[in-house]
């Protein structure tokens, strides 16, 4: 299937929708809607709509813009030497992409980015971002904070991927979600296929491990949730 990319023209309707959305993002929250209206009369940015499945950036493509997700979801993915699809992370509406690469001397995207659903993205080039950093201390602070946050996300992912077994990955995931959801029944916001991709493994490998853990009375599960049956055992296995 051929995926579609649409370049928006700068008309009044697009600007009407764009400014309130940008004002809610972490990077641009320091500006009022009136200030954004003035800023966005300048050049050095464009907005594109990517159809579901479209490639937004290819691995090793040079980063030339800071991207703001206005609508939809972006997946950051890589196919390893075994042919397994690894999903490093996803970006939702309001998230920014590329601030850790834009001003680097060596700045290719390390992984491919695709649209999980129909997705609108604002691409702001280096000139605009540099000007905003020089003229707005609030934007500069938000920009540096975003770079720091991306570093923590990457460190957390590396820590997860460095674990030796699928079971350790699964236990880490369950205990994390237990803390977030405050329930031993973990609602799955992604499919098991997508969960397997997050761990960098194939779907059948995850299914086998889940069945083993169920047979050992550690968990039960269905299509939409996983329930922890033996919390003490999971915590013990996590610290071993």
């Amino acid at each position: 299937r051929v995926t579609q990319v649409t370049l928006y023209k700068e008309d009044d309707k697009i600007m009407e929708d764009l400014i309130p959305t940008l004002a809610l993002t972490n990077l641009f929250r320091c500006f009022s809607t009136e200030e954004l209206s003035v800023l966005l009369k300048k050049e050095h940015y464009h907005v594109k709509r990517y159809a579901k499945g479209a490639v937004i950036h290819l691995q090793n493509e040079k980063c030339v813009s800071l991207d703001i997700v206005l609508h939809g979801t972006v997946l950051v993915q890589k196919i390893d030497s075994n042919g397994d699809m690894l999903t490093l992370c996803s970006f939702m509406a309001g998230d920014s992409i590329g601030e850790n690469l834009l001003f680097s001397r060596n700045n290719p995207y390390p992984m491919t980015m695709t649209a999980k659903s129909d997705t609108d993205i604002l691409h702001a080039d280096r000139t605009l971002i540099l000007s905003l950093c020089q003229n707005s201390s609030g934007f500069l602070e938000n920009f540096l904070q975003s770079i720091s946050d991306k570093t923590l996300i990457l460190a957390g992912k590396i820590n997860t991927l460095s674990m030796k077994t699928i079971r350790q990955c699964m236990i880490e995931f369950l205990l994390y979600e237990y803390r977030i959801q405050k329930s031993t029944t973990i609602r799955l916001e992604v499919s098991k296929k997508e969960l397997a991709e997050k761990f960098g493994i194939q779907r059948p490998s995850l299914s086998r491990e889940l069945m083993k853990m169920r047979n050992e009375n550690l968990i039960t599960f269905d299509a939409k949730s996983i329930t922890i049956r033996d919390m003490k055992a999971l915590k013990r296995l996590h610290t071993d």
Side-chain angles (χ1 to χ4, degrees):
R1 183 169 69 90
V2 177
T3 52
Q4 182 181 4
V5 179
T6 303
L7 176 62
Y8 279 143
K9 301 296 183 184
E10 290 185 26
D11 58 33
D12 291 339
K13 180 63 171 67
I14 296 301
M15 296 299 292
E16 231 174 74
D17 295 339
L18 174 59
I19 290 170
T21 302
L22 270 184
L24 295 175
T25 64
N26 288 333
L27 270 180
F28 289 90
R29 65 189 175 190
C30 55
F31 299 114
S32 66
T33 54
E34 292 78 13
E35 289 170 326
L36 285 173
S37 296
V38 174
L39 288 171
L40 293 179
K41 286 180 180 177
K42 301 178 181 179
E43 297 180 353
H44 307 303
Y45 79 93
H46 57 276
V47 179
K48 286 185 180 180
R49 168 163 290 175
Y50 296 86
K52 179 180 178 179
V55 174
I56 299 166
H57 296 297
L58 287 168
Q59 183 177 343
N60 295 322
E61 175 186 337
K62 186 176 181 181
C63 174
V64 295
S65 67
L66 173 67
D67 299 344
I68 307 291
V69 182
L70 303 174
H71 171 78
T73 303
V74 175
L75 297 178
V76 182
Q77 298 178 310
K78 184 180 181 69
I79 299 177
D80 66 17
S81 57
N82 295 320
D84 295 332
M85 179 67 78
L86 167 65
T87 299
L88 181 67
C89 61
S90 60
F91 294 101
M92 315 292 285
D95 290 339
S96 56
I97 305 170
E99 56 269 61
N100 53 331
L101 295 173
L102 187 58
F103 293 98
S104 173
R105 284 177 291 182
N106 182 28
N107 64 346
Y109 291 102
M111 297 189 182
T112 295
M113 300 186 194
T114 60
K116 183 179 180 182
S117 57
D118 289 352
T119 299
D120 298 337
I121 295 180
L122 181 144
H123 300 278
D125 71 20
R126 176 177 170 144
T127 302
L128 176 58
I129 300 305
L130 186 59
S131 174
L132 292 174
C133 286
Q134 291 171 332
N135 292 292
S136 170
S137 60
F139 181 86
L140 176 60
E141 183 177 353
N142 293 343
F143 185 77
L144 293 174
Q145 183 182 66
S146 187
I147 292 175
S148 301
D149 290 343
K150 294 294 188 303
T151 302
L152 288 174
I153 290 171
L154 180 59
K157 191 66 180 183
I158 290 172
N159 181 58
T160 298
L161 295 177
S162 66
M163 294 179 180
K164 295 181 180 179
T165 67
I166 299 172
R167 176 164 296 198
Q168 286 173 314
C169 289
M170 196 67 236
I171 291 173
E172 180 80 9
F173 168 78
L174 291 172
L175 293 179
Y176 175 81
E177 289 297 327
Y178 167 71
R179 290 193 296 271
I180 297 299
Q181 298 188 27
K182 295 180 172 39
S183 171
T184 55
T185 297
I186 309 302
R187 299 184 313 277
L188 297 177
E189 303 296 335
V190 297
S191 68
K192 290 190 175 67
K193 179 178 181 295
E194 290 172 309
L195 187 58
E197 289 174 0
K198 285 181 180 292
F199 295 153
I201 59 176
Q202 293 181 335
R203 170 73 166 80
S205 299
L206 177 63
S207 295
R208 283 194 295 271
E209 189 58 45
L210 286 172
M211 287 187 285
K212 287 180 184 176
M213 293 176 72
R214 181 173 62 187
N215 292 339
E216 294 172 26
N217 291 318
L218 295 172
I219 62 169
T220 59
F221 63 89
D222 56 33
K224 298 294 184 181
S225 67
I226 300 174
T227 299
I228 299 171
R229 296 191 63 186
D230 193 337
M231 180 65 75
K232 287 184 179 179
L234 281 191
K235 288 183 176 179
R236 185 177 65 253
L237 289 168
H238 181 243
T239 55
D240 285 349

